[in-house]
Amino acid sequence: LAAKAAATPATIILLGESGTGKTVLARAIHANSPQQDHAFVTVNCPSLSRELLESELFGHVKGAFTGAVGDTVGKVALADDGTLFLDEIGELPLEIQPKLLRLLQEKEYERVGESKTRRAKVRVISATNRDLERAVQEGRFREDLFYRLNVISIQMPSLRERAGDLQGIALGYLRFFARQCGKNLKGISSEAEQALRRYRWPGNLRELRNVIERAVILAGSDEIDVLDLPEKIGRASCRERV
C-alpha cells in the first residue's frame, strides 16, 4: 500500500503505537516518490507551544512576537516541492488546524505577522498514535482536516502482532551494533531468544533496538545471553535457570 501511494501525490496518514516505525516508513515513502530529489522536512507537533509551532510551520517576520528578531521562512517553505512530515498530528492545536487545511486545499499560507499570501507545493505525510476519529467526535480535531489527511491510511502493526518477525529484526539490530562496537557476535542464545519472545514490547521496534544495543555492549561471549538483557525481560528465564 505504501509503495503504491508513494508514486502518487496523495496525502498519507500513518497510524500506530509509538515506536512502530512510522517515521522510518515516511522516509521510505519520500525516497520512492516523485519528491525524492527535494527536501524531507519533519515537524514534531507536540514539541512546541501553539505560537512557536505556528511559527515553525509557516515562518514569521521580524517583530511578529517577542523574540522574533528576524524573518524565518518556516518548515513549509523548506519543504516546497518536497515532503512535509507532521509527526503526532493528533496533538496539533485547534487554532492551527484551519491553516493546515488551507495549505492542503489551496497550497497557500501566510507567515506569522505578515499578510502576504505565499504558495508552497508540499506532499504531506502525517503520523499519530491517537484515535483521530474519536478526537473528531470529541471536538479536538477538525473533521474536514481529518478527511484531507486521511486520503491514504496505513496502519502500522505493533511488535506484538509481528511475533514471527521478531527474531529477524533482532538479528538485524545485532549485526548493526556489533559492527558499530567492533564485536564479533554470532547470534542470540536460545534462552535469550525465548525471553525476547515472551516480552510484550510496549515500546515496539524502538524498544527492541535499544535492548539489543545494550545487550551487544554488555555481551561477554560470542552471543547475546539472557543475562545481557534488561531485568524485566530476562527475569523469568533467570528464575527458571536458578
Side-chain angles (χ1 to χ4, degrees), residues 25-123:
L25 183 58
R27 289 186 178 277
I29 291 171
H30 172 75
N32 290 276
S33 74
Q35 294 81 29
Q36 61 182 293
D37 294 327
H38 300 279
F40 177 90
V41 179
T42 298
V43 176
N44 190 356
C45 296
S47 63
L48 299 168
S49 66
R50 181 191 67 79
E51 293 80 8
L52 291 177
L53 179 58
E54 183 178 0
S55 172
E56 177 160 309
L57 265 173
F58 302 110
H60 65 259
V61 295
K62 182 179 179 180
F65 51 83
T66 303
V69 295
D71 292 356
T72 301
V73 296
K75 296 292 184 70
V76 168
L78 293 176
D80 196 14
D81 288 324
T83 299
L84 181 66
F85 177 53
L86 302 175
D87 199 11
E88 300 303 341
I89 189 69
E91 304 293 335
L92 190 70
L94 272 170
E95 297 88 346
I96 301 178
Q97 291 179 25
K99 299 179 181 182
L100 177 59
L101 179 64
R102 182 186 176 203
L103 177 69
L104 289 167
Q105 292 184 157
E106 312 295 337
K107 307 297 183 185
E108 294 180 347
Y109 70 100
E110 281 101 27
R111 293 179 183 175
V112 177
E114 185 180 59
S115 59
K116 177 182 177 181
T117 298
R118 299 177 181 271
R119 295 188 61 81
K121 184 182 178 183
V122 297
R123 198 274 181 79

Side-chain angles (χ1 to χ4, degrees), residues 156-218:
M156 301 292 287
S158 67
L159 192 53
R160 296 183 299 283
E161 300 171 278
R162 304 177 59 185
D165 296 332
L166 192 146
Q167 183 181 10
I169 296 171
L171 288 173
Y173 288 147
L174 182 148
R175 288 190 291 269
F176 174 81
F177 288 115
R179 286 195 303 269
Q180 194 176 77
C181 296
K183 286 191 169 185
N184 184 22
L185 296 179
K186 67 179 184 181
I188 302 172
S189 73
S190 59
E191 192 177 8
E193 187 179 320
Q194 290 172 10
L196 293 176
R197 289 185 180 279
R198 279 195 297 267
Y199 187 60
R200 294 291 292 168
W201 299 107
N204 293 293
L205 293 170
R206 185 180 295 122
E207 184 180 12
L208 176 62
R209 187 182 192 275
N210 291 344
V211 165
I212 298 300
E213 180 180 12
R214 174 187 186 274
V216 167
I217 292 169
L218 296 179

Side-chain angles (χ1 to χ4, degrees), residues 12 31 77 104 112 128 137 145 154 158 161 168 177 206 227 239:
I12 299 173
L104 289 167
V112 177
T128 183
Q137 295 170 0
L145 177 58
I154 300 176
S158 67
E161 300 171 278
F177 288 115
R206 185 180 295 122
L227 295 177
R239 283 200 301 266

